[in-house]
Amino acid sequence: MTQNHEFNETITVALSGASGMPYGLKLIETLISLNHQVFVLVSSAARVVLDTESDVKLSGNEEKATEQLSSLFNAKPNQLKAFGKDNWFSPVASGSAAPKKMIVCPCSAGTVSAISHGASDNLLERAADVVIKEKGQLMLVVRETPLSAIHLENMHKLAQLGVTIMPAAPGFYHNPSSIEDLVNFMVARILDHLSIEHTLAKRWGYGC
């Protein structure tokens, strides 16, 4: 499955088993609304967290998961594709076809560890490894606290390779009045780093 030129860009969004699913869901929703094609990778643990933190009970079947998410986000035909964790024939598994931008959101400390060590034991880890080796843009929205020295060492290693480490730590200078405001703040920061225009949150010094 190659990029459909009806859409602006093809971007991979991976959901790992960390808390913080509202961030990932809002990111996918916003990318779809801005006419990007989105490849979605979901770990087994992420499906459990999705069930806990949202109303989404995502199927483990690729086709059903694609239908569920496409319906949820009102995606156009072929705009969203979900891939199973063992689908090694998907575009994201190969440097010759994989999208050049990937965000793991939320990203667990375990996923950070696996990526930093090049484990590639499932499609999420392999896709991240591909983005790094192809010198694409990889962003990890880490959701863990406190951070141990092991976590920090792994993130430092990845940061030195050009990976953007973006902890899920929303600011408060925009005077949020709801959880949605906090979620939008983080998603806005992600979009900023992807160079994607948005209206999710006010910028510092511009009426915040």
Side-chain angles (χ1 to χ4, degrees):
M1 182 178 183
T2 57
Q3 180 169 344
N4 187 324
H5 294 290
E6 173 186 356
F7 308 113
N8 295 327
E9 290 184 279
T10 299
I11 298 172
T12 300
V13 176
L15 310 177
S16 76
S19 180
M21 287 300 159
Y23 296 121
L25 294 175
K26 184 64 178 182
L27 175 60
I28 297 170
E29 177 187 28
T30 305
L31 290 172
I32 291 294
S33 70
L34 293 174
N35 200 43
H36 295 281
Q37 185 179 46
V38 183
F39 290 168
V40 181
L41 313 181
V42 186
S43 71
S44 299
R47 289 204 305 276
V48 175
V49 181
L50 271 170
D51 189 23
T52 302
E53 298 185 348
S54 73
D55 296 327
V56 181
K57 299 182 184 297
L58 197 63
S59 172
N61 177 275
E62 278 189 2
E63 293 184 2
K64 291 182 179 179
T66 296
E67 291 176 1
Q68 284 179 278
L69 293 174
S70 295
S71 176
L72 179 65
F73 299 122
N74 195 30
K76 299 174 184 176
N78 298 318
Q79 189 177 10
L80 185 150
K81 172 65 177 175
F83 293 102
K85 66 183 181 68
D86 297 316
N87 186 348
W88 303 108
F89 292 99
S90 66
V92 297
S94 171
S96 64
K100 303 304 181 185
K101 294 183 178 182
M102 176 176 175
I103 309 95
V104 184
C105 178
C107 184
S108 66
T111 299
V112 172
S113 176
I115 294 172
S116 72
H117 288 84
S120 294
D121 286 335
N122 56 48
L123 186 61
L124 189 163
E125 295 168 11
R126 169 58 182 170
D129 190 61
V130 166
V131 175
I132 292 172
K133 80 181 184 71
E134 296 296 324
K135 300 189 184 304
Q137 183 178 10
L138 177 61
M139 195 180 313
L140 307 182
V141 184
V142 182
R143 217 309 303 170
E144 185 63 84
T145 190
L147 295 168
S148 73
I150 295 173
H151 304 151
L152 294 170
E153 287 174 2
N154 288 334
M155 287 188 280
H156 179 244
K157 177 180 178 181
L158 290 170
Q160 288 182 309
L161 294 172
V163 176
T164 300
I165 306 298
M166 184 176 291
F172 289 83
Y173 57 78
H174 59 305
N175 296 314
S177 59
S178 65
I179 292 176
E180 183 180 11
D181 288 342
L182 296 174
V183 171
N184 287 348
F185 179 96
M186 279 308 309
V187 174
R189 296 296 291 131
I190 295 169
L191 296 176
D192 287 344
H193 280 260
L194 292 172
S195 298
I196 294 175
E197 292 294 326
H198 63 84
T199 57
L200 282 179
K202 295 178 181 178
R203 300 181 187 280
W204 177 260
Y206 290 85
C208 59

